[in-house]
Amino acid sequence: MFETKPDIAGRAEIEILVNTFYDRIRADEVLGFIFTDVAQTNWTTHLPKMYAFWETVLFRTGGFTGNPIAAHAKLVPQTPMGRAQFDHWLQLFRGTVDDLYAGERAEHIKNCAADMANVIYSRINQVPDPRFDPANLTPEQRARYAQYKSQAQPAAP
Ligand code: HEM
């Protein structure tokens, strides 16, 4: 028999997702110590912050007011925060979503996580965002961007 998983409907599903994800993070060989030892995360405050973050991303409610770039930039001098760490984070996040939910919002939250992982990774390491790295552009994007460039107005004096 097929098991049909629910989609993310609101705050309740987000709390379950976040709790499950950080249970896995805490037990994870690659990333666990960054929270427990490096940042010495206070889970009593971090988990509600992450409920608010994802609620804000998905539903525009939740009232998240943090600074994710600064929070991760702070870690860079203390521990590797490279592509390998972000890819592993994403793999854990996608796996957690897929174990619990299926549907449009489940897909959307995974896409948002991937976009934000790219943004955070590229900003804190001062490397180009891989989505906009010329090496990763499709021929169609390359042609379109070249057209924007040729239409650009000279800057006002
Ligand atoms: C290598 C991957 C990552 C690591 C090791 C990591 C680690 C951390 C740590 C240690 C904190 C601080 C927790 C504390 O207060 O003690 C944090 C905060 C946070 N992280 Fe990540 N993170 C990663 C990727 C991501 C990604 C991809 C996202 C978004 C999709 C994200 C979203 C956040 C948010 C929203 C906060 C709270 C920021 C604030 O306090 O304003 N993280 N992260």
Side-chain angles (χ1 to χ4, degrees):
M1 210 180 95
F2 289 110
E3 184 201 357
T4 45
K5 291 186 182 129
D7 200 357
I8 300 168
R11 174 76 174 209
E13 290 78 14
I14 290 174
E15 291 190 9
I16 292 168
L17 171 65
V18 168
N19 291 341
T20 311
F21 176 64
Y22 286 102
D23 279 348
R24 293 183 185 184
I25 282 266
R26 262 182 277 204
D28 186 72
E29 273 177 29
V30 179
L31 301 175
F33 79 97
I34 302 181
F35 290 84
T36 53
D37 300 346
V38 178
Q40 301 185 354
T41 299
N42 176 346
W43 296 100
T44 315
T45 52
H46 186 60
L47 294 175
K49 196 186 278 184
M50 297 311 294
Y51 307 150
F53 175 71
W54 286 115
E55 191 184 331
T56 304
V57 170
L58 279 194
F59 301 106
R60 311 251 174 268
T61 52
F64 174 77
T65 53
N67 187 342
I69 302 289
H72 299 94
K74 213 162 63 176
L75 301 170
V76 171
Q78 304 178 69
T79 190
M81 288 289 286
R83 200 65 240 178
Q85 283 73 23
F86 278 91
D87 284 346
H88 190 74
W89 187 103
L90 269 178
Q91 195 191 335
L92 273 183
F93 189 81
R94 290 194 180 110
T96 311
V97 173
D98 288 342
D99 285 344
L100 295 168
Y101 305 115
E104 230 171 85
R105 292 203 183 104
E107 289 309 306
H108 184 58
I109 204 169
K110 287 184 286 179
N111 290 336
C112 291
D115 280 352
M116 281 184 287
N118 279 331
V119 171
I120 298 171
Y121 161 74
S122 59
R123 291 281 302 276
I124 67 175
N125 291 292
Q126 285 156 26
V127 298
D129 186 324
R131 292 169 304 164
F132 307 120
D133 186 326
N136 296 331
L137 296 180
T138 63
E140 186 276 328
Q141 284 172 318
R142 222 178 285 245
R144 190 151 40 88
Y145 296 165
Q147 205 180 2
Y148 296 147
K149 229 186 262 175
S150 65
Q151 286 167 358
Q153 300 297 314

